[in-house]
Amino acid sequence: MTRTVYVNGDYVPEDQARISVFDRGFLFADGVYEVTSVLDGKLIDFAGHAARLARSLAELDMAAPCSDAELLEIHRDLVARNNVTEGLVYLQVTRGAADRDFAYPEHPSPTLVLFTQHKILANSPVAEKGLKIISVEDIRWGRRDIKTVQLLYPSMAKMMAKKAGADDAWMVEDGLITEGTSNNAYIVKGGRIITRHLGNEILAGITRTAILRFAREAQMVVEERAFTLEEAKAADEAFITSATSFVHPVVQIDDAVLGNGTPGPVARRLREIYLEACRSAAI
Ligand code: PDD
């Protein structure tokens, strides 16, 4: 089926969508993105994604391509035009086309692209099975709080995991876990949920914000601090969060099997709470 995608003001069939070869997103990875999930044909946490997009743009001195209200309308239009009941909307803003020059163009005209993808989210088999994770060195740049499209190292890390017979990778810097390739990382020890504090070293996940709020509301203890790979391997359970996984349990880190090797109760409970809350708040 040919999707309808959005490019700079137009809704076009995907095989007719065009971007300039001079686009700085293509030449310099000079662009930012957001992934918003869709459940029951509705957007999950649109406001959170719009706010983070605005922050990413501001950090890179990029102008917003349109208002949040317009963005919401485009998201909803694409979901409707492509009959997405479950899946995601991908959005990318770049600094647009200009003669190749490292310095930003003086009068940039941003590129805005959005497209949809169907994906099973709520009944994902991973939620039942859990993930096997390998640890890899975190050699990404120092501004991981900005959601840029420079995703080559996360792609390489996913391939390292695949080669090792695992599902994904967690990244380690100075002995401390930063985050997953495309998700935030958590461990549970003695009933306490531990996840890295915010800073330039990780992305402030929109799902992370929601999960920590739900956990605290459910009287769970949350510690936002760095934790070591050794702590993770000795944890009672572990999990990841992201827009497209919600909460996925981790059952193995490198050679260490966590608990009895099946999804733990805290991850299961948080996934349930998150799904229920998201469904009722989706727009
Ligand atoms: N990834 N950390 C990184 C490095 C990420 O790429 C992501 C999201 C997250 C979780 O953020 P959120 O909860 O807002 O999705 C954390 C998206 C899903 C992706 O690249 O496809």
Side-chain angles (χ1 to χ4, degrees):
M1 201 193 85
T2 307
R3 276 173 294 193
T4 298
V5 304
Y6 176 96
V7 185
N8 291 329
D10 296 321
Y11 291 91
V12 289
E14 63 180 72
D15 52 2
Q16 287 169 35
R18 296 282 178 272
I19 294 290
S20 166
V21 295
F22 297 107
D23 195 280
R24 290 181 57 92
F26 177 58
L27 297 178
F28 292 100
D30 188 357
V32 299
Y33 76 108
E34 282 296 331
V35 176
T36 304
S37 52
V38 177
L39 267 186
D40 313 322
K42 291 181 180 172
L43 300 163
I44 306 295
D45 221 333
F46 174 81
H49 289 283
R52 187 173 60 191
L53 174 67
R55 180 184 182 277
S56 292
L57 291 168
E59 291 297 308
L60 296 174
D61 290 329
M62 272 194 219
C66 60
S67 70
D68 285 1
E70 285 165 319
L71 273 188
L72 176 58
E73 199 182 310
I74 301 166
H75 276 74
R76 283 177 158 162
D77 267 358
L78 277 184
V79 167
R81 285 170 190 254
N82 294 293
N83 294 314
V84 183
T85 48
E86 200 161 313
L88 60 93
V89 181
Y90 175 91
L91 169 156
Q92 181 167 329
V93 185
T94 76
R95 210 180 300 271
D99 258 359
R100 186 174 182 277
D101 186 348
F102 283 76
Y104 301 163
E106 252 177 68
H107 304 290
S109 128
T111 299
L112 174 62
V113 167
L114 288 92
F115 59 80
T116 55
Q117 259 175 228
H118 293 271
K119 191 174 161 101
I120 293 171
L121 302 179
N123 293 322
S124 144
V126 179
E128 293 307 315
K129 217 173 104 231
L131 296 164
K132 288 185 184 172
I133 298 290
I134 59 162
S135 58
V136 300
E137 198 190 340
D138 195 341
I139 58 165
R140 297 173 300 162
W141 78 325
R143 288 303 307 274
R144 304 159 195 158
D145 55 310
I146 308 173
K147 199 165 171 60
T148 74
V149 296
Q150 308 177 70
L151 296 175
L152 190 52
Y153 186 64
S155 291
M156 288 170 72
K158 290 229 198 232
M159 292 312 294
M160 290 185 236
K162 208 170 164 181
K163 262 194 185 156
D167 303 297
D168 208 341
W170 279 10
M171 294 186 271
V172 186
E173 190 171 49
D174 301 327
L176 302 167
I177 306 285
T178 51
E179 60 187 332
T181 53
S182 60
N183 45 66
N184 290 113
Y186 307 72
I187 58 171
V188 182
K189 186 73 180 174
R192 306 169 90 81
I193 299 166
I194 304 161
T195 193
R196 181 142 184 150
H197 55 282
L198 297 180
N200 292 347
E201 298 76 21
I202 65 166
L203 184 73
I206 302 306
T207 322
R208 178 188 182 281
T209 304
I211 284 293
L212 294 188
R213 178 160 59 82
F214 296 143
R216 286 177 173 127
E217 282 170 8
Q219 313 301 323
M220 298 178 185
V221 179
V222 175
E223 278 180 37
E224 292 181 68
R225 63 163 174 88
F227 58 91
T228 64
L229 177 59
E230 281 61 44
E231 268 185 288
K233 289 182 182 176
D236 300 329
E237 57 174 293
F239 60 93
I240 60 155
T241 66
S242 75
T244 48
S245 63
F246 305 148
V247 178
H248 275 164
V250 169
V251 294
Q252 188 172 331
I253 301 171
D254 292 333
D255 292 330
V257 174
L258 305 187
N260 61 6
T262 61
V266 174
R268 278 185 186 280
R269 180 88 191 99
L270 285 173
R271 183 176 175 87
E272 269 172 30
I273 296 175
Y274 183 79
L275 266 166
E276 199 184 306
C278 277
R279 282 214 143 100
S280 56
I283 59 169

